[in-house]
Amino acid sequence: MSNLIKIGWDCSIQDIDDENIVRIMAVQKNSYHVSDGEHDYAAHLSGKFLNQVTHSLDLPAVGDWVLVQKLESEQKAVIQELVPRNSQFVRQAAGPKVEAQIVAANMDTVFIVNSLNHDLNVRRMERYLLAAYESGASPIIVLTKKDECSVDEVKAAIARVEEVAIGVPTVAISNVTREGIDELLEYLPAGRTAALLGSSGVGKSTLVNTLLDEAVQETKDIRETDSKGRHTTTHREMFILPYGAMLIDTPGMRELQLWDGESSMDSTFSDIEAFEKECKFNDCKHDTEPGCRVQEALENGDLSYERFQSYLKLQRELAFERRKQDQRAYLEEKNRWKKLKRQRHAGYKLRKKR
């Protein structure tokens, strides 16, 4: 058990065979790298596990705990069962297919990373905050490349961020001078797990190298013309920091496609939710109704037009995603019944022949 604690095991979980439990340290396509805190193994899913998978969310992700059968002599393991998660960061998978994709699991904190240049995008940050709250982990805003900005520029950027990340800690850091690193580590004590999330080129992999004091992740410079980044991390991997915390690095996402988030809109947009509660009518559409506190806030500057439009856009997007997911669930159920009907019909014909 002491070895599992080294990689973040929660001792409050009972009735688990700790001899055969490991943590997913890296995922690359269909291969898994796992650890029990003492030994590492190359792992794959058992046939029984695969047969029981009904949804992409059932598959293991970096940070997951799983029960395995160890093949000690080969340094391999067969994954038999997934231990229930206490948090999961999920997004809509890229492409036209309606499918959830787990970015990281069982993290205590989500570090939402943005760089202090003209790629700083508070609208994108709102999306990450929404998904972070939905994950069950605590969000922290990390602003990188502090050494490239003046003191006034840093203050202005933090002020912009704090207008949308209400009540969320914001830390500005430099991977070059290490300024702000100690403050950041206060949010990641030993034994805890954090996931780094953000666009390409914001400095996630550089931050991993800084915290490990070792160049384990490849890094590339951003384009000077627009501060856009290039993909460097191509898979998800968890690193153990020298003092005992865990850090999950993930590939950069140019745009985070939401999978869920209705229940976290009030946390992400607490200011707008507060205004809505002060509207004269409970079913106020915030358009032309009398006594609309939201319209009043827009007019007097208490609420920015851009933030309110972002709020409405995310509501529409989540409603659209929910309709797509419901349609997919309906089609899957319909196909399931068709398959069962064919099986029954084939069985009936077989019995008649006998």
Side-chain angles (χ1 to χ4, degrees):
M1 182 63 72
S2 60
N3 288 324
L4 294 179
I5 294 174
K6 293 178 186 176
I7 53 175
W9 178 251
D10 183 354
C11 294
S12 66
I13 302 175
Q14 303 297 323
D15 301 323
I16 294 289
D17 180 10
D18 58 280
E19 288 295 322
N20 292 309
I21 195 166
V22 297
R23 196 169 193 188
I24 306 288
M25 304 298 288
V27 177
Q28 193 164 20
K29 294 184 178 179
N30 297 322
S31 63
Y32 299 87
H33 171 72
V34 304
S35 173
D36 60 9
E38 184 177 11
H39 301 294
D40 294 345
Y41 304 86
H44 65 272
L45 302 176
S46 69
K48 181 180 179 182
F49 190 109
L50 284 170
N51 287 333
Q52 293 175 341
V53 170
T54 59
H55 197 283
S56 57
L57 295 178
D58 298 333
L59 293 169
V62 173
D64 266 324
W65 297 96
V66 291
L67 289 169
V68 299
Q69 176 188 358
K70 295 178 180 177
L71 308 175
E72 301 278 5
S73 60
E74 302 177 42
Q75 281 294 283
K76 293 182 179 179
V78 182
I79 298 172
Q80 308 281 1
E81 186 180 340
L82 183 68
V83 176
R85 302 175 175 119
N86 57 40
S87 63
Q88 57 182 27
F89 191 98
V90 181
R91 70 166 184 166
Q92 160 66 36
K97 190 175 181 180
V98 181
E99 186 175 39
Q101 180 184 51
I102 296 187
V103 178
N106 294 317
M107 61 278 169
D108 304 290
T109 305
V110 171
F111 287 151
I112 301 172
V113 186
N114 242 287
S115 55
L116 283 163
N117 53 32
H118 54 266
D119 191 40
L120 179 62
N121 187 325
V122 294
R123 302 284 81 87
R124 186 191 303 142
M125 196 173 291
E126 288 168 338
R127 302 174 71 85
Y128 276 98
L129 281 167
L130 183 60
Y133 279 123
E134 194 70 20
S135 75
S138 301
I140 306 291
I141 304 297
V142 182
L143 302 177
T144 62
K145 307 182 182 179
K146 185 177 182 180
D147 54 287
E148 298 179 11
C149 304
S150 68
V151 173
D152 289 341
E153 287 173 332
V154 173
K155 288 181 178 178
I158 291 176
R160 285 180 61 202
V161 169
E162 289 179 341
E163 287 179 0
V164 300
I166 300 170
V168 177
T170 300
V171 182
I173 68 167
S174 167
N175 288 305
V176 176
T177 66
R178 296 187 64 89
E179 188 177 359
I181 294 296
D182 289 342
E183 182 185 354
L184 178 64
L185 292 181
E186 291 178 8
Y187 297 101
L188 184 55
R192 310 289 276 182
T193 302
L196 293 173
L197 297 164
S199 301
S200 301
V202 297
K204 300 190 306 298
S205 296
T206 304
L207 178 56
V208 172
N209 293 341
T210 299
L211 296 180
L212 286 170
D213 198 22
E214 183 182 356
V216 296
Q217 293 290 74
E218 181 186 0
T219 61
K220 292 181 181 178
D221 294 333
I222 61 172
R223 295 193 299 262
E224 293 183 3
T225 53
D226 57 6
S227 296
K228 302 295 184 182
R230 303 177 178 90
H231 288 287
T232 51
T233 303
T234 57
H235 63 283
R236 299 169 185 86
E237 184 171 359
M238 183 162 67
F239 300 93
I240 303 175
L241 301 184
Y243 66 93
M246 275 59 65
L247 192 63
I248 299 174
D249 192 15
T250 64
M253 292 174 273
R254 176 48 53 191
E255 182 175 3
L256 172 66
Q257 291 182 282
L258 298 172
W259 176 257
D260 201 357
E262 292 97 331
S263 62
S264 298
M265 286 292 286
D266 57 345
S267 299
T268 309
F269 294 94
S270 57
D271 51 341
I272 298 178
E273 296 280 338
F275 289 136
E276 287 184 328
K277 290 177 181 177
E278 296 177 6
C279 288
K280 183 176 181 180
F281 301 106
N282 292 333
D283 59 349
C284 183
K285 303 299 183 186
H286 317 306
D287 189 9
T288 59
E289 294 88 348
C292 175
R293 181 68 179 92
V294 172
Q295 285 297 324
E296 180 186 335
L298 288 168
E299 290 170 6
N300 64 25
D302 289 341
L303 174 64
S304 74
Y305 177 79
E306 292 78 12
R307 180 160 170 80
F308 184 57
Q309 289 304 307
S310 175
Y311 172 73
L312 296 178
K313 178 184 177 183
L314 289 173
Q315 281 188 325
R316 291 193 298 269
E317 182 177 334
L318 288 170
F320 177 65
E321 290 298 331
R322 178 58 60 200
R323 288 194 297 272
K324 288 200 299 183
Q325 292 166 26
D326 289 345
Q327 177 67 10
R328 178 194 175 187
Y330 166 75
L331 291 174
E332 286 178 345
E333 184 67 9
K334 184 177 179 180
N335 290 333
R336 188 176 74 86
W337 280 108
K338 279 184 178 179
K339 184 178 179 180
L340 286 173
K341 188 176 180 180
R342 286 195 299 269
Q343 290 173 343
R344 290 196 194 101
H345 184 63
Y348 173 73
K349 288 173 69 176
L350 184 62
R351 287 194 299 274
K352 279 193 71 177
K353 285 182 179 180
R354 292 175 180 173

